[in-house]
Amino acid sequence: MKKMLLIGLTATLTATAGIASAQVKPFEAIEYRQGVFKAVKWHFGPLGDMVKGKTEFNVEEFSRRANLLAALSQMPGEAFLPGTYDKKTGALPNIETERAKFDEGMQNFQTATAELATAAKSGDMNSIRPAFMAAAKTCKACHDNFRD
Amino acid sequence: MKKMLLIGLTATLTATAGIASAQVKPFEAIEYRQGVFKAVKWHFGPLGDMVKGKTEFNVEEFSRRANLLAALSQMPGEAFLPGTYDKKTGALPNIETERAKFDEGMQNFQTATAELATAAKSGDMNSIRPAFMAAAKTCKACHDNFRD
């Protein structure tokens, strides 16, 4: 359905991350980054449940999900491209006009989730909890600034 | 829209990977795994373009995407759960009845993409090409057996 709604966009985009290796269509970039954020949510939720004591803390499971979250944090940035901000997405066009601030926010997300993955290895909730809260703040910062 | 279509499903599921740490709804599991596969496609495409010579081979960019692909391969398995196979997804219910075969297929996908990430580091297309083809075969194997 999303594909149908967006198929009117004919512009093609060139990925900005690293070497431009393929022409991508706007709907593909939107679907990709939305898919990545679905995966972020999938892993972030159970991590939060363990931090909050809603579910039993299990260090292996926490570490597994924290590592996957850190990998996911590397992914969405490259898909915020000119031509991919319209009413079908929550992403606001000021991502382009305030690109440095947006990129800094993405970097903060990557750093915080990497630190959470490191903290997870300790198995010490006194280290994990603040690292989790710091990671959650980096989500909120971008949502507040760049999401409808 | 997908959420609306699937909201009629009221069963909740417990993630099977590692410790069951959260109850998830079928549409969440479907959205998650579909999102992950969108991300797999996003990275697999440019890798294929470089292998086939459609775009210029760049070892850093190839490695970056191969590493992300290897991380993504760790993700979808946990979201193929009872109650998540219906006509809104291409996933077939024989995933449950042939679970060992499905899990083996997922393991092959993980192994092959990890080997591709290792091959990528060499920068030698003579190592990378067969590793890429082997990874592509693991996609096809599951699609042939478990996808509508």
Side-chain angles (χ1 to χ4, degrees):
Chain A
M1 178 56 81
K2 200 163 284 153
K3 199 173 284 190
M4 290 175 62
L5 289 171
L6 294 170
I7 211 150
L9 293 170
T10 54
T12 55
L13 306 165
T14 303
T16 53
I19 301 299
S21 58
Q23 291 271 308
V24 297
K25 295 186 177 63
F27 80 82
E28 291 172 335
I30 293 168
E31 284 190 340
Y32 165 72
R33 72 191 189 214
Q34 289 182 340
V36 170
F37 285 123
K38 285 268 190 280
V40 166
K41 188 181 171 190
W42 175 271
H43 292 291
F44 210 81
L47 291 174
D49 287 344
M50 282 189 260
V51 168
K52 294 168 197 160
K54 287 187 182 178
T55 54
E56 192 178 350
F57 175 57
N58 177 282
V59 62
E60 287 79 19
E61 176 68 353
F62 196 98
S63 240
R64 183 184 77 83
R65 290 190 187 271
N67 283 330
L68 295 180
L69 184 64
L72 286 165
S73 76
Q74 305 285 329
M75 298 185 197
E78 66 186 275
F80 289 92
L81 299 164
T84 66
Y85 313 102
D86 67 16
K87 60 189 174 183
K88 277 84 182 180
T89 97
L92 294 173
N94 66 325
I95 289 170
E96 286 306 318
T97 54
E98 299 177 69
R99 190 78 207 191
K101 186 179 175 185
F102 178 78
D103 289 344
E104 188 187 351
M106 274 291 169
Q107 183 59 58
N108 291 342
F109 176 43
Q110 293 168 12
T111 302
T113 52
E115 288 174 355
L116 177 60
T118 301
K121 286 181 200 155
S122 72
D124 177 6
M125 192 47 87
N126 290 326
S127 302
I128 291 171
R129 189 175 290 107
F132 176 83
M133 297 309 292
K137 273 188 189 170
T138 67
C139 298
K140 186 176 184 309
C142 270
H143 289 183
D144 287 351
N145 291 320
F146 298 110
R147 193 188 188 202
D148 193 9
Chain B
M1 178 57 82
K2 200 163 283 152
K3 199 173 285 189
M4 290 177 61
L5 288 171
L6 294 169
I7 210 151
L9 294 170
T10 54
T12 55
L13 307 165
T14 303
T16 54
I19 300 299
S21 56
Q23 292 270 309
V24 296
K25 295 185 176 65
F27 79 82
E28 291 172 334
I30 293 168
E31 285 191 341
Y32 164 73
R33 72 190 189 215
Q34 289 183 338
V36 170
F37 286 123
K38 284 269 191 279
V40 165
K41 187 181 171 189
W42 175 270
H43 293 291
F44 210 81
L47 291 174
D49 287 345
M50 282 189 260
V51 168
K52 294 168 199 161
K54 285 187 183 179
T55 54
E56 193 178 349
F57 175 56
N58 177 283
V59 62
E60 287 78 19
E61 176 67 354
F62 196 98
S63 241
R64 183 184 77 83
R65 291 191 187 270
N67 283 330
L68 295 179
L69 184 65
L72 286 164
S73 76
Q74 304 286 328
M75 298 185 196
E78 66 187 276
F80 289 91
L81 299 163
T84 66
Y85 313 102
D86 67 16
K87 59 188 174 183
K88 277 84 181 180
T89 97
L92 295 172
N94 67 325
I95 289 171
E96 285 306 317
T97 53
E98 298 177 70
R99 190 78 206 190
K101 185 178 175 185
F102 178 78
D103 289 343
E104 188 187 352
M106 274 291 169
Q107 183 59 58
N108 291 342
F109 176 43
Q110 293 168 12
T111 302
T113 52
E115 287 174 356
L116 177 60
T118 300
K121 285 180 199 155
S122 72
D124 177 5
M125 192 46 87
N126 290 326
S127 301
I128 290 171
R129 188 175 291 107
F132 176 84
M133 296 309 291
K137 273 188 188 167
T138 66
C139 298
K140 186 177 185 306
C142 270
H143 290 184
D144 287 350
N145 291 320
F146 299 111
R147 193 190 189 201
D148 194 9

